[in-house]
Amino acid sequence: MKWRALVSRIPALVKTLSPVVLVVDIVIRVVAVIAVPRNRRPTSAMAWLMAIFIAPIPGSLLFGLFGSSKLPRDRRNRQREINDLILEHTQGIDEEIVDDPRPPWFASVAQLNRTLGAMPLLEGNAARLYPHYEGSIAAMTDAVDAARRYVHVEFYILARDKTTIGFFDALKRASERGVQVRVLFDHWATITNPEGRNTRRWLQENSIRFEEMLPFHPTKGMWRRPDLRNHRKIVVVDGKIAFTGSQNMIDSSYNKKGNIRRGLQWVDLMVRLEGPAAIGLDALFITDWYSETDELPDVSDVDEMTVDHSDPGTFECQVVPSGPGFDGENNLKLFNALVYSAQKKLIIASPYFVPDDSMLYAITTAAERGVDVQLFACEVADQFLVYHAQRSYYEALLRAGVRIFLYEKPIVLHSKHFTIDDQVAVIGSSNMDMRSFSLNFEVSLLVHGREFVDDLRHIENDYRSRSKEVLLEEWLQRRVPVQVLDNVARLTATVQ
């Protein structure tokens, strides 16, 4: 039979192909040793080399798909165009800041952010925190209803559901009265949500302009690493009022059956801004819109980035963008600089805490030099690997003197902020994990102002009252299988 004849030829075929396979195998390994470590963390390089050496062909294919976090060159060039435009319009503006009781190290941190992300540090910003989920949505809805010229909306996840329907109705009313409404949302994160497709359909039916950020369409020439995400949360109204923080525009259960079954509810933190920082957030939205559409909306508002010294109740703020569109890891460099600058107290809230070596060393070193370091994380989480990976760091943190508080389940503490001593804070969309440092587009807001930090301290105190403190002795008594799971999950940290 034919199949028997084919089977009988297999040994000869294998003998013929073996030298070819051997040569290909050697070439892949040699090229990998040369190419993989270039401009890459040693831990990440070793992980990729192990994958390629264990399975050369599958490993090299995976490296080709996921090995680079860089965007295509044209996208990076657009980011540079916007940066140059911002620098041109804000030339010398941050030099107008007068003498004030800032920490001695603060000016150098602001200069670091200016160098990396182009945005200036500016005075004259009013800021109000919204720690309650539906309260922040109501505030954003009110702002949209008051819009006269334009509304810019950008969220990682955008879903029209029972909680957010009022916000979407406000967008519709704004559009109907002639306000220019532009909407951005992350393609994968939104479309994979149970309400994502219905939301996109609603926007289309109501003629509201929207774009999906970072769509992956290799057949259309849109080739890049497919798991790059735009994780920013921004609402800007007329260049006067802006919101940013950790909250997506979605119900606090995220509309997922598993979350609803487990009773999971998200707790977030947003900030409402008036002043030059609102223009800075708008410039970031414009950058993302331009990157997706090749259309540059009117950026004349950048000229209004003026400094107001008249109101003592306002704060210095600096918008800090980060992501694959930049050459460096802007948020990681900012966070490390602030952690090393802390003298008395450092309080961190991060739902997904999977630091790289530099961040882990900075935090443990701060605790070891006497800084009161506290970390707020979750007793329960929605992401299995990340949850167990972050637990693998607790022992090192506790031994260094870091106090760890786990927010009561079934609440997912999704706030992303930290405070340094009594005058400086950061709030935004960025987790303290390697995904946020390298793969996600993020936005952080650096704030200098004692009253703002005091307000955050009240929120942190509320978190503490709802949390259980982790003690080293108890932590070391975890069941051995759980410890093994935590440590194995840590091996995936470089790709989370």
Side-chain angles (χ1 to χ4, degrees):
M1 295 178 68
K2 290 184 178 181
W3 67 269
R4 289 182 178 175
L6 290 173
V7 169
S8 66
R9 294 174 60 187
I10 288 177
L13 184 63
V14 169
K15 186 175 180 180
T16 302
L17 290 178
S18 291
V20 177
V21 173
L22 179 61
V23 170
V24 171
D25 182 274
I26 293 172
V27 169
I28 288 176
R29 293 169 189 262
V30 171
V31 171
V33 169
I34 296 171
V36 171
R38 184 175 182 181
N39 297 324
R40 195 178 306 276
R41 290 190 182 93
T43 52
S44 177
M46 286 301 298
W48 278 115
L49 286 173
M50 285 180 62
I52 293 171
F53 272 60
I54 291 171
I57 294 177
S60 58
L61 291 175
L62 285 173
F63 178 76
L65 192 60
F66 294 99
S68 174
S69 62
K70 294 290 187 183
L71 284 173
R73 184 174 298 176
D74 62 328
R75 297 280 299 245
R76 284 180 280 144
N77 287 340
R78 289 173 186 172
Q79 180 67 65
R80 294 189 184 98
E81 285 181 43
I82 296 293
N83 285 359
D84 291 342
L85 182 65
I86 293 170
L87 288 170
E88 177 186 344
H89 282 265
T90 61
Q91 186 74 27
I93 197 170
D94 41 2
E95 297 174 3
E96 299 177 22
I97 296 176
V98 296
D99 183 40
D100 64 356
R102 293 185 297 176
W105 47 264
F106 186 76
S108 65
V109 172
Q111 181 57 53
L112 169 69
N113 296 329
R114 177 74 149 151
T115 300
L116 296 174
M119 299 288 189
L121 173 73
L122 297 173
E123 289 184 318
N125 297 283
R128 178 180 176 182
L129 293 167
Y130 284 86
H132 301 298
Y133 202 96
E134 295 189 6
S136 65
I137 294 176
M140 288 184 275
T141 301
D142 290 343
V144 172
D145 271 329
R148 295 174 176 271
R149 296 167 52 207
Y150 64 84
V151 175
H152 289 162
V153 175
E154 177 173 346
F155 283 99
Y156 176 58
I157 303 177
L158 186 76
R160 183 175 180 268
D161 55 37
K162 62 180 181 180
T163 300
T164 65
I165 189 170
F167 179 80
F168 282 87
D169 288 346
L171 291 181
K172 181 180 178 181
R173 289 191 294 270
S175 179
E176 289 174 344
R177 65 177 183 269
V179 173
Q180 183 70 249
V181 179
R182 299 182 179 93
V183 175
L184 290 171
F185 55 81
D186 183 81
H187 169 73
W188 180 255
T190 292
I191 295 305
T192 55
N193 187 270
E195 297 297 331
R197 296 185 185 277
N198 290 335
T199 300
R200 180 170 63 179
R201 189 179 305 113
W202 184 91
L203 292 170
Q204 291 172 333
E205 291 172 351
N206 289 278
S207 302
I208 294 176
R209 289 198 64 187
F210 71 90
E211 290 292 332
E212 298 170 316
M213 296 183 287
L214 298 175
F216 183 64
H217 298 305
T219 57
K220 298 180 181 179
M222 298 179 183
W223 179 262
R224 55 165 179 77
R225 178 168 172 162
D227 62 338
L228 300 183
R229 302 269 66 85
N230 195 313
H231 197 238
R232 293 167 178 161
K233 292 90 175 172
I234 299 171
V235 174
V236 182
V237 175
D238 296 338
K240 306 295 184 183
I241 298 172
F243 295 81
T244 194
S246 65
Q247 185 172 332
N248 289 293
M249 186 55 67
I250 191 171
D251 181 75
S252 60
S253 70
Y254 277 53
N255 300 316
K256 295 183 178 181
K257 292 180 180 179
N259 295 346
I260 296 170
R261 184 177 61 253
R262 297 168 63 193
L264 298 186
Q265 296 287 325
W266 268 242
V267 167
D268 278 284
L269 184 63
M270 296 290 280
V271 60
R272 180 187 188 274
L273 295 161
E274 290 186 68
I279 307 264
L281 288 168
D282 202 27
L284 191 52
F285 174 92
I286 288 167
T287 302
D288 290 337
W289 185 268
Y290 179 46
S291 295
E292 299 297 347
T293 66
D294 205 25
E295 170 193 319
L296 190 61
D298 180 17
V299 293
S300 60
D301 285 339
V302 175
D303 291 326
E304 298 180 27
M305 274 192 176
T306 55
V307 178
D308 179 11
H309 302 281
S310 60
D311 188 351
T314 58
F315 310 111
E316 291 179 324
C317 296
Q318 186 175 31
V319 175
V320 184
S322 58
F326 294 89
D327 293 330
E329 297 167 322
N330 298 3
N331 49 357
L332 175 60
K333 292 177 181 178
L334 165 63
F335 295 172
N336 275 336
L338 290 172
V339 171
Y340 278 116
S341 298
Q343 301 298 308
K344 298 178 181 178
K345 183 174 287 189
L346 173 67
I347 300 182
I348 300 167
S350 179
Y352 310 118
F353 181 83
V354 188
D356 75 336
D357 287 345
S358 70
M359 176 58 64
L360 182 64
Y361 294 155
I363 292 173
T364 53
T365 299
E368 289 164 345
R369 57 187 172 84
V371 177
D372 176 10
V373 182
Q374 301 177 30
L375 170 65
F376 287 98
C378 302
E379 189 177 11
V380 66
D382 62 313
Q383 297 189 26
F384 180 83
L385 283 177
V386 180
Y387 173 69
H388 284 283
Q390 74 178 27
R391 287 159 54 96
S392 72
Y393 292 90
Y394 290 172
E395 181 179 343
L397 294 168
L398 291 168
R399 289 189 183 280
V402 177
R403 298 179 67 189
I404 301 175
F405 297 90
L406 301 183
Y407 201 91
E408 60 187 358
K409 61 183 179 182
I411 303 301
V412 176
L413 181 62
H414 195 243
S415 300
K416 310 163 198 294
H417 60 88
F418 62 103
T419 50
I420 305 93
D421 297 336
D422 298 320
Q423 299 183 53
V424 179
V426 172
I427 179 173
S429 67
S430 180
N431 298 304
M432 283 199 172
D433 67 358
M434 283 175 271
R435 168 161 287 281
S436 283
F437 296 151
S438 301
L439 304 179
N440 289 347
F441 286 81
E442 306 282 4
V443 56
S444 300
L445 183 74
L446 177 67
V447 183
H448 170 237
R450 186 178 296 272
E451 292 180 10
F452 187 83
V453 174
D454 287 344
D455 290 342
L456 267 175
R457 290 274 192 258
H458 289 304
I459 293 171
E460 292 164 352
N461 290 339
D462 179 66
Y463 292 168
R464 197 177 295 105
S465 71
R466 301 172 185 268
S467 302
K468 177 184 177 182
E469 184 169 3
V470 179
L471 302 177
L472 179 60
E473 295 77 11
E474 296 177 3
W475 190 251
L476 295 177
Q477 299 304 313
R478 290 166 18 257
R479 292 183 298 115
V480 172
V482 176
Q483 295 185 39
V484 171
L485 178 58
D486 293 344
N487 291 328
V488 170
R490 183 170 180 163
L491 297 176
T492 69
T494 57
V495 295
Q496 288 175 3

